[in-house]
Amino acid sequence: MTWYPPGPALLFCPGDRPDRFTKALDRADAVVLDLEDAVASVDKERARTEVARAALDPQRTIIRVSQTRSPGHADDLAAVRAGGYRCVMLSKAESGDEIRQVAEMVDGDVLALVETPLGVVRANEIAEAEGCVGLMWGSEDLIAAMGGTASRFAYLHAGPGQVPGAYRDVARHARSVVALAAAAYGRWAIDAVRLDIRDEGGLLAEARDAVALGFAGTACIHPTQAAIIRRAYEPTEEQIDWARRVLAAGEAGERVVQVDGHMIDGPLFRQAEAILRRLPS
């Protein structure tokens, strides 16, 4: 059985902070124990030790490991195997071969983190690879690799037609590419983190947009963001009512029905089903 997110809010937690592991799980649906960027080089080995002995629920735990070209990559995978975890987030994934190799080495599933220019243009190859169960994308590493300075429009300096805090076009393109590649090959997709933890309204709107596009979840970097993400992914009463009436109208076997003055056919039946799948179990 492949790994699937138990809920929409995935919270990052530094691998060298075991005092936060359980707290993160209490606040979010799943925790991403980070052995990459969130841990200083001098603390990497200690972080691997803490992750290996944490004994967290493998269904609610993802381990982010360093890219395959990193000197510490093999040691990160050893910590995953020692801890018995089922899902690995591979940083800066750039090829299908990397996915297959990592999946084989940990005897588990790989969430490919697509966050480099090469990774974005190879998103289809990555999604198709055996062992890949999901894709996530990252904006800041992507823009840095391009020599850029900002993935979003500035709050104080947005120009005409620019929404403050919204992604620039290249980042929006990468987001779309990853979502499409995941859907094309039957994988789930996770939306990127929002770094401004004060902008709760922006996070809510962005997460609701992710829901509308079919993302399975949104990653977060602060515990307060988890509840906002959950609220965004839970369908509203109006959506639930519409979905139930649409499906009820189609129970007679008609391929095209009318609901609220709108013609409803196959794609909208599937959209209604997607809404009801998001109801809390």
Side-chain angles (χ1 to χ4, degrees):
M1 182 178 179
T2 57
W3 195 91
Y4 190 88
L10 279 61
L11 177 59
F12 277 90
C13 182
D16 61 344
R17 293 300 305 269
D19 56 307
R20 297 183 182 178
F21 292 177
T22 302
K23 294 176 182 178
L25 272 177
D26 287 342
R27 298 293 291 273
D29 298 302
V31 63
V32 182
L33 299 184
D34 194 355
L35 294 176
E36 198 217 12
D37 286 346
V39 181
S41 298
V42 296
D43 296 321
K44 294 282 189 184
E45 191 54 44
R46 180 169 63 85
R48 296 182 189 111
T49 299
E50 297 292 355
V51 165
R53 69 184 183 187
L56 299 176
D57 181 356
Q59 181 55 36
R60 298 184 60 207
T61 308
I62 304 170
I63 311 300
R64 177 159 83 158
V65 301
S66 55
Q67 61 186 345
T68 58
R69 299 166 296 285
S70 168
H73 176 73
D75 291 333
D76 288 353
L77 296 185
V80 173
R81 292 193 298 270
Y85 298 106
R86 295 174 50 194
C87 187
V88 170
M89 178 186 289
L90 177 61
S91 301
K92 300 177 179 63
E94 292 188 333
S95 74
D97 286 341
E98 290 179 335
I99 303 300
R100 286 185 285 270
Q101 290 168 6
V102 170
E104 182 177 341
M105 292 179 71
V106 300
D107 190 24
D109 300 321
V110 179
L111 166 55
L113 179 51
V114 177
E115 52 184 342
T116 68
L118 185 57
V120 172
V121 300
R122 287 181 175 172
N124 286 343
E125 173 192 332
I126 291 168
E128 185 180 16
E130 184 177 356
C132 179
V133 292
L135 280 76
M136 179 177 159
W137 76 288
S139 60
E140 302 311 320
D141 277 294
L142 173 64
I143 298 302
M146 295 174 63
T149 59
S151 66
R152 298 177 183 270
F153 293 114
Y155 283 85
L156 299 179
H157 306 291
Q162 300 173 352
V163 178
Y167 284 119
R168 296 175 181 274
D169 287 347
V170 168
R172 290 174 59 226
H173 173 73
R175 183 182 189 231
S176 299
V177 164
V178 166
L180 284 167
Y185 291 97
R187 318 304 190 192
W188 39 269
I190 300 297
D191 205 11
V193 300
R194 193 177 185 95
L195 297 179
D196 187 352
I197 61 177
R198 300 165 300 178
D199 186 6
E200 296 184 355
L203 174 61
L204 182 64
E206 200 161 89
R208 284 177 171 164
D209 182 65
V211 173
L213 292 176
F215 280 89
T218 296
C220 53
I221 57 171
H222 193 275
T224 59
Q225 294 179 316
I228 298 170
I229 291 168
R230 282 172 166 163
R231 176 153 56 101
Y233 277 79
E234 186 171 333
T236 65
E237 291 299 325
E238 291 79 7
Q239 289 174 320
I240 295 169
D241 175 67
W242 176 84
R244 286 174 172 163
R245 287 189 292 111
V246 164
L247 295 178
E251 285 180 351
E254 297 292 334
R255 300 188 62 173
V256 180
V257 298
Q258 186 178 136
V259 176
D260 297 340
H262 292 80
M263 298 307 295
I264 306 294
D265 58 5
L268 292 179
F269 286 130
R270 294 196 295 274
Q271 291 177 20
E273 291 168 349
I275 288 172
L276 297 185
R277 282 198 299 270
R278 300 203 321 271
L279 287 171
S281 56

